[in-house]
Amino acid sequence: LRHSHVVITDRDEILVPRGHETWQDLITAIDKPNRGAYLFQHAYFRRNKTSDDDPHLITQQSLWRTPEVTPPGKIRCKSMYKALKAVKIDLHFPYEILIGAEEHILEPEEGMLHHYRIQPMETFRKNPEQFTFIEDEFMLKYGLKLKRKVKEVKERLSL
């Protein structure tokens, strides 16, 4: 087995461990033998440019999000699966995991799906007065390392 876990997300989404420094730390803290899938609730982040450093590092530029995860629970969540327990997986939640395996919905403090939208979601377009946004600088803690890695890759690829 080459990988212990599998994740499926859209291109404008990132699963983020928020309660621990690394993915390994998070999984170690919340894992149980019968866990087959970890479900991440999400918050919408407005895509905006707040920095001139690199226009492609949206996690370092789009810092305004909906204050609560939308919606709580399994609807529109994204999942991380234990590879050995996943039978039929889906973009949002498991269709089937091994008998006896269970799903675990993470609290936003443990981990969250950051959903970076260029266009506002349909509900926002219809009812913008229902939405507020809060500043969330969580991803800035990865900024220096991320920028260094991107620079290294660009140099290696002669970009």
Side-chain angles (χ1 to χ4, degrees):
L1 181 65
R2 192 164 179 186
H3 300 285
S4 61
H5 293 79
V6 177
V7 173
I8 302 173
T9 63
D10 292 334
R11 291 177 53 197
D12 62 349
E13 300 171 335
I14 300 172
L15 294 179
V16 177
R18 291 182 66 109
H20 299 287
E21 285 298 310
T22 67
W23 281 109
Q24 186 170 352
D25 292 344
L26 172 64
I27 296 301
T28 299
I30 65 174
D31 192 32
K32 293 185 177 177
N34 59 336
R35 294 255 162 95
Y38 303 92
L39 285 61
F40 291 74
Q41 300 171 76
H42 74 274
Y44 289 106
F45 281 74
R46 285 191 324 215
R47 291 276 302 267
N48 62 303
K49 187 173 180 180
T50 58
S51 161
D52 290 328
D53 292 342
D54 190 321
H56 305 291
L57 297 177
I58 63 171
T59 65
Q60 302 303 298
Q61 299 171 7
S62 301
L63 306 176
W64 291 88
R65 70 169 176 90
T66 51
E68 297 178 8
V69 295
T70 310
K74 287 177 64 170
I75 300 170
R76 298 206 46 84
C77 66
K78 294 295 169 74
S79 300
M80 173 188 292
Y81 304 93
K82 277 188 183 174
L84 292 175
K85 295 193 182 276
V87 177
K88 294 179 184 176
I89 61 176
D90 181 59
L91 183 60
H92 293 289
F93 53 85
Y95 280 148
E96 184 180 353
I97 51 182
L98 290 180
I99 294 173
E102 66 181 29
E103 302 169 356
H104 173 69
I105 300 174
L106 280 80
E107 294 297 324
E109 299 79 33
E110 293 176 302
M112 184 188 304
L113 171 71
H114 290 206
H115 193 163
Y116 295 92
R117 298 290 300 253
I118 294 174
Q119 296 293 325
M121 56 278 203
E122 185 65 24
T123 308
F124 180 75
R125 282 198 295 264
K126 290 180 180 176
N127 303 298
E129 71 282 354
Q130 293 179 1
F131 289 86
T132 59
F133 291 88
I134 61 170
E135 190 169 19
D136 184 338
E137 296 183 344
F138 184 83
M139 293 300 287
L140 294 180
K141 74 184 215 170
Y142 300 109
L144 292 176
K145 186 175 183 179
L146 180 62
K147 290 172 187 177
R148 187 180 79 245
K149 291 289 188 183
V150 167
K151 182 180 177 187
E152 289 173 9
V153 169
K154 284 181 172 181
E155 288 172 357
R156 188 170 56 240
L157 298 174
S158 301
L159 299 175

